[in-house]
Amino acid sequence: MTHLLTLEELSAAEITGLLDAAAGYLGVGRASPKLTTLAGKVVANLFFENSTRTKISFSLACRRLGAETLDFSPSGSSTAKGESFIDTARNIEAMGIDAVVVRHSSAGSPKLLTQHLSPRVSVINAGDGAHEHPTQGLLDIFTIRQRRGTVAGLTVALVGDIAHSRVARSNIHGLTKLGAKVIVCGPTTLVPREIATLGVEIAHDLDAVLPRCDVINLLRVQFERQRTGLFPSVREYAHLFGMNGDRLALSKPGMLILAPGPINRGVELTPEVADGSNSVILDQVTNGVAVRMAVLAKLCGA
Ligand code: NCD
């Protein structure tokens, strides 16, 4: 494996290998000392879109493996002077780097970098438009497996803005490869019919599917990627698709509640659900560092 662009292109064995490796990195740098696996390596974080969790998580993962990091964000950079995406990346490459972690609003930008940078530089997709977000998919699956021991045979609902969510696509590919049943549930305008070709069940009534779910992953409405008018109001969305105490009462006991974050309290879920005992939202964040260590070590380690 040289790059990590999608979960679509990974096999079940490759995904399981990364999850197993991640389990070994939990607690490194906290309960146990930092490692030197990537000593002497330089990882550039190129974030052309906003990020809290993913960017900090990759930086911490690098440091816990002994790598140096470079952080780039377009504000304050020469992007504002008209420098192109590829020229920016090639200039940072010229300073001597081993890997690039890239987030961009255009689907396919990480793949484009693999065609313009030296083949010695690993490219890791940290979210490209509405396409994929493979490390988020891996950390979601890792968290499910941590709680349930396995993923095969579980029913997982992805709820919300399926059309514009890169997290949805990475979850669908990863979960179905590992043998989970995936239901995508949202307003008709936010669930493209073609998604059924990926082997998922389509639903528009959350209350009807909830009793069958072992896990639900609550996706944020991606207002920044939408044209307007895809649903009448945020209030109506919350009424039909928001997870709340009443819906929890309809669910299997112990159903896991995931959300990639950022969460909008009162929209995708109520505070009682976000902070309640079914929620593993902060476990996902903790696990994300270990998952990214596994990816970086696999791609750039000796
Ligand atoms: C997600 C993203 O950026 O795709 N967030 C994340 O990486 N944790 C989901 C989102 O923005 O809603």
Side-chain angles (χ1 to χ4, degrees):
M1 217 186 277
T2 315
H3 309 295
L4 177 62
L5 304 182
T6 65
L7 291 193
E8 182 175 16
E9 66 198 354
L10 296 194
S11 67
E14 286 172 315
I15 293 172
T16 304
L18 287 169
L19 300 179
D20 291 345
Y25 289 117
L26 281 175
V28 168
R30 305 289 290 168
S32 59
K34 284 200 292 193
L35 301 174
T36 54
T37 318
L38 296 188
K41 305 273 182 179
V42 181
V43 179
N45 287 317
L46 268 52
F47 279 70
F48 288 86
E49 238 191 30
N50 294 346
S51 173
T52 299
R53 278 151 292 273
T54 308
K55 188 173 176 182
I56 294 174
S57 183
F58 267 111
S59 295
L60 206 49
C62 288
R63 270 179 261 149
R64 289 180 178 172
L65 290 170
E68 279 184 85
T69 57
L70 302 175
D71 282 326
F72 169 90
S73 55
S75 66
S77 79
S78 291
T79 300
K81 300 181 190 170
E83 189 166 37
S84 76
F85 172 60
I86 290 166
D87 281 331
T88 301
R90 291 191 62 196
N91 276 268
I92 292 172
E93 177 190 29
M95 297 181 205
I97 59 169
D98 301 283
V100 172
V101 176
V102 61
R103 167 170 289 194
H104 200 284
S105 57
S106 296
S109 6
K111 174 138 189 150
L112 189 68
L113 281 190
T114 66
Q115 292 155 358
H116 288 274
L117 299 182
S118 147
R120 287 188 311 280
V121 175
S122 293
V123 177
I124 301 173
N125 180 6
D128 61 331
H131 178 219
E132 278 224 34
H133 189 351
T135 59
Q136 181 69 44
L138 288 170
L139 76 88
D140 292 346
I141 297 167
F142 182 93
T143 305
I144 296 169
R145 205 179 75 149
Q146 184 181 51
R147 289 296 179 119
R148 287 296 148 87
T150 179
V151 172
L154 296 179
T155 297
V156 181
L158 308 173
V159 180
D161 185 355
I162 309 302
H164 303 93
S165 172
R166 52 202 180 201
V167 179
R169 252 159 287 277
S170 289
N171 266 263
I172 290 169
H173 290 298
L175 287 165
T176 53
K177 280 175 203 229
L178 296 194
K181 172 173 177 57
V182 177
I183 302 172
V184 296
C185 181
T188 47
T189 48
L190 295 181
V191 182
R193 307 254 15 130
E194 316 78 69
I195 204 98
T197 60
L198 301 183
V200 301
E201 176 183 330
I202 293 181
H204 302 297
D205 181 353
L206 179 59
D207 294 331
V209 297
L210 263 182
R212 289 156 56 205
C213 296
D214 300 295
V215 179
I216 61 169
N217 196 344
L218 301 170
L219 305 174
R220 186 177 62 86
V221 180
Q222 307 273 302
F223 288 105
E224 71 275 30
R225 289 184 227 290
Q226 290 181 6
R227 47 191 179 83
T228 53
L230 292 178
F231 55 81
S233 72
V234 171
R235 221 172 124 206
E236 180 174 303
Y237 178 85
H239 176 63
L240 293 173
F241 296 101
M243 196 63 200
N244 54 35
D246 291 343
R247 293 209 158 99
L248 213 45
L250 289 177
S251 313
K252 286 189 190 177
M255 180 183 74
L256 298 181
I257 298 192
L258 281 76
I263 59 170
N264 287 301
R265 290 170 183 265
V267 184
E268 309 95 68
L269 74 180
T270 58
E272 65 180 320
V273 173
D275 305 323
S277 61
N278 298 66
S279 166
V280 292
I281 295 172
L282 292 178
D283 294 330
Q284 290 173 264
V285 179
T286 304
N287 293 336
V289 180
V291 163
R292 289 170 177 128
M293 289 173 78
V295 168
L296 287 159
K298 172 90 183 164
L299 300 184
C300 313

